[in-house]
Amino acid sequence: MTDLLASTPSLVQERRLVTEIPGPRSRELMERRAATVSSGVGTTLPVFVERAGGGVIRDVDGNSLIDLGAGIAVVNVGNSAPKVVRAVQEQVATFTHTCFMVTPYEGYVAVCEELARVTPGDHEKRTALFNSGSEAVENAVKIARHATGRQAIVVFDHAYHGRTNLTMALTAKNMPYKHRFGPFASEVYRVPMSYPFRDAPGMSGAEAADRAIRQIETQIGAANVAAVLIEPIQGEGGFVVPATGFLPAVAQWCREAGAVFIADEVQTGFCRTGDWFASDAEDVVPDLMTLAKGMAGGLPLAAVTGRAALMDAVHTGGLGGTYGGNPVACAAALASIETMREQDLAGAARAIEDTMVPRLHALGEHTPAIGDVRGRGAMIAVEIVRQGTTEPDAALTAQVARLCHAEGVVVLTAGTYGNVLRFLPPLVIGQDLLNEALDVLEAAFAAATTPVQSAG
Ligand SMILES: *Cc1c(COP(=O)(O)O)cnc(C)c1O
C-alpha cells in the first residue's frame, strides 16, 4: 500500500512570518466568522489554520507559527501524527458509526484495555467512553453517587471541570464560564486548594490537606461525601501544582471516609506532565479518573476509567450516549497511545521541562513581574504580578500574550485572576523551535516591562 503521507511534503518546522498577524485572508475569514458564528464562542488568536504538524501551525496567509498550545493540551502526539492519520483513514473507510450500545466493535474494547494498562494502579478496572471532558466528569459524578448512595461532591478553589450544567457548578470561576448561566446543580461544595504561591509561606501539602478536610468534615460531613473531585495539577485555574503530600493526604482521607477519589486528568493526562498521568508523580491511585484531551490526537474522545466495583455498580443502560467511543476516535486513540509509547513522549515532556524551566527562572531573575514559575513536564506556566507583590497583573499578562502572538508564537493565558501565561507545546516539538519560542517570550517581556529610556 502506498503511504499517503510519504508523498506529501511534511510541514517545515520553522517560525516564518510573511504578513502581519492576522494576515489579510485571516481578517477576511474573521469577518465571515463574525457574521455567522455566535460571538459567545471566543478566539485567542484570530489566525485561520491551513495546516498543522509537529510544533507549528501554518495559517491561510502562509505564516508559520510556533505552537505552544497544542489545541489546549490535545495534540500531545502532534497534529496529524502519521500513525493517527493512517489509523483514522483505515477506520473511516471501514465503518464510521454503529453505536457501541447497538452493535459493538473491537476498537472500543481495545481502548478500554489500553486505559486499564496505562492508568495508575493494578486493581481490576473498567472504562466507559464519552465525547468530551465535561461529559466524562458528569459521568464520573453519576457513577460515584450511584455506587456510594451519597450526594455531596467536593471540589476545589480554582477548579475547572467543564461548561455543561453540572460541570459549571463544579468549575470555580464565574467569568466567562458561569456568569448568568445559572441556576447550577446542588450538592456541590468548594474547599481550599493547595496553592503554594498564594498560601502562607511554607504551608506543607499535609497542612493544606488538613485545611480542606476540616472544612469538609464541619460543613458537609464525611458520611455525606460521594466524591472528592480534583485536578492533580489545575489547568484553566492557572497550572496550580499542589504542595507535595497534598494529593496523597486527600486520597487517604477519601479511603477512610468511604468517598470516591476522582482525579480529573482531562488536561494533565497522556504524557503531558512527564508521566502517563499527573497522579503517577506521587503514586496516587485514583478510584476514578476522567480522561479526554490528550487521548486521541485531536479526535473527540473521553473516558471514565476506574475500579471495577464502582464502574460496574451502575445498572446496565445507566451509562452511555449515541457517539461515545466513536470507532474513528477509538482508532485515533489506539494510534496515539502507541505513538506515546514508541516515541517515549513522557520522556519528551520531561525534556521540554528541562529546556523551559531553567530559561523561565533565568527570565524571572531580571523580570520582577514574574512572581512564580511552575508546572511539570510540558505543562509549564508563569504567574504575573505587580512588582514585589502577589497582586495579579492580568493586563501585563494579556499584553505579553499579544506580543507573542504578533511574533508568531501561540501562547495561552489562564488563572482565576487571568494572570498566568501557560505553555502546552505538542510533545513532539523540536528543541530548536522551543528555544526560539522562549527567545520571543523573553523579548515580549522586555518590550512590555522595560520603562521607556530617555535618549542620551
Ligand atoms: C478541558 C477540561 C475539561 C472539559 O473538557 P471538554 O472536552 O472541554 O468538555 C474538564 N476538566 C479539565 C481538567 C479540563 O482541562
Side-chain angles (χ1 to χ4, degrees):
M1 192 184 123
T2 55
D3 191 336
L4 247 173
L5 286 161
S7 59
T8 316
S10 66
L11 198 52
V12 182
Q13 296 294 299
E14 63 175 1
R15 179 175 68 103
R16 186 159 165 269
L17 299 185
V18 296
T19 70
E20 73 282 7
I21 301 290
R25 293 200 56 206
S26 278
R27 284 204 302 271
E28 252 175 60
L29 284 162
M30 281 304 286
E31 275 174 34
R32 271 174 62 194
R33 178 202 201 285
T36 194
V37 179
S38 162
S39 61
V41 181
T43 294
T44 300
L45 217 176
V47 144
F48 275 72
V49 179
E50 186 179 83
R51 219 179 140 186
V56 304
I57 293 174
R58 195 172 68 199
D59 76 8
V60 291
D61 290 289
N63 299 297
S64 179
L65 292 82
I66 301 176
D67 182 11
L68 298 188
I72 319 187
V74 168
V75 287
N76 292 5
V77 296
N79 260 290
S80 304
K83 262 199 178 9
V84 173
V85 171
R86 269 193 297 276
V88 164
Q89 285 173 337
E90 272 172 31
Q91 181 58 50
V92 83
T94 311
F95 63 94
T96 48
H97 175 84
T98 62
C99 187
F100 189 76
M101 300 183 303
V102 178
T103 50
Y105 37 88
E106 184 178 348
Y108 188 120
V109 177
V111 169
C112 299
E113 288 168 346
E114 278 287 32
L115 295 181
R117 275 192 281 272
V118 297
T119 52
D122 51 16
H123 51 281
E124 188 75 10
K125 294 171 192 165
R126 299 285 185 271
T127 291
L129 300 180
F130 305 98
N131 305 292
S132 70
S134 304
E135 209 188 339
V137 171
E138 294 234 2
N139 278 279
V141 169
K142 281 168 65 173
I143 293 161
R145 283 177 169 160
H146 192 106
T148 60
R150 305 174 180 181
Q151 295 187 347
I153 305 298
V154 176
V155 290
F156 291 82
D157 286 335
H158 314 289
Y160 181 85
H161 297 293
R163 294 172 177 269
T164 56
N165 185 265
L166 174 57
T167 59
M168 277 193 292
L170 303 168
T171 289
K173 191 177 175 177
N174 178 51
M175 275 299 278
Y177 308 123
K178 303 169 71 164
H179 188 62
R180 298 179 68 159
F181 293 142
F184 303 113
S186 59
E187 289 302 311
V188 173
Y189 300 88
R190 196 169 306 285
V191 300
M193 177 65 176
S194 167
Y195 191 158
F197 180 63
R198 294 190 175 277
D199 285 338
M203 179 180 252
S204 70
E207 288 163 347
D210 277 346
R211 176 178 62 182
I213 289 163
R214 259 199 320 276
Q215 191 166 319
I216 295 169
E217 289 181 340
T218 55
Q219 297 184 11
I220 311 164
N224 298 316
V225 177
V228 175
L229 168 65
I230 189 165
E231 299 156 88
I233 298 176
Q234 291 182 322
E236 306 305 302
F239 288 16
V240 177
V241 186
T244 306
F246 179 78
L247 292 171
V250 172
Q252 175 63 27
W253 181 86
C254 286
R255 264 192 299 281
E256 289 162 6
V260 178
F261 181 82
I262 308 174
D264 182 351
E265 294 236 20
V266 166
Q267 189 156 158
T268 48
F270 297 98
C271 302
R272 173 56 53 188
T273 64
D275 288 300
W276 275 104
F277 296 96
S279 296
D280 290 321
E282 289 189 82
D283 293 322
V284 169
V285 179
D287 300 313
L288 298 179
M289 298 179 78
T290 54
L291 311 170
K293 290 188 170 96
M295 176 155 50
L299 275 84
L301 186 66
V304 181
T305 296
R307 295 187 187 281
L310 298 172
M311 297 294 297
D312 286 344
V314 179
H315 52 277
T316 299
L319 304 176
T322 306
Y323 294 109
N326 168 272
V328 181
C330 285
L334 293 170
S336 295
I337 293 169
E338 201 175 305
T339 301
M340 291 172 202
R341 230 183 239 121
E342 280 176 3
Q343 300 189 8
D344 182 21
L345 292 188
R350 293 192 294 272
I352 289 169
E353 174 180 346
D354 291 345
T355 298
M356 293 196 78
V357 169
R359 285 199 59 182
L360 292 172
H361 276 300
L363 177 62
E365 293 286 298
H366 55 87
T367 311
I370 294 182
D372 196 24
V373 176
R374 59 175 179 254
R376 201 186 297 146
M379 185 170 182
I380 303 291
V382 294
E383 178 155 358
I384 298 172
V385 293
R386 284 184 224 292
Q387 178 161 352
T389 73
T390 57
E391 208 184 307
D393 195 339
L396 179 59
T397 308
Q399 192 189 351
V400 172
R402 266 196 311 275
L403 289 168
C404 288
H405 297 165
E407 289 301 317
V409 176
V410 180
V411 296
L412 308 175
T413 60
T416 297
Y417 316 109
N419 68 324
V420 175
L421 267 183
R422 58 170 160 167
F423 311 108
L424 291 164
L427 306 181
V428 295
I429 193 172
Q431 287 285 326
D432 290 356
L433 274 186
L434 193 57
N435 274 304
E436 189 176 341
L438 288 162
D439 295 342
V440 169
L441 180 73
E442 284 173 8
F445 266 106
T449 60
T450 307
V452 179
Q453 308 269 320
S454 57

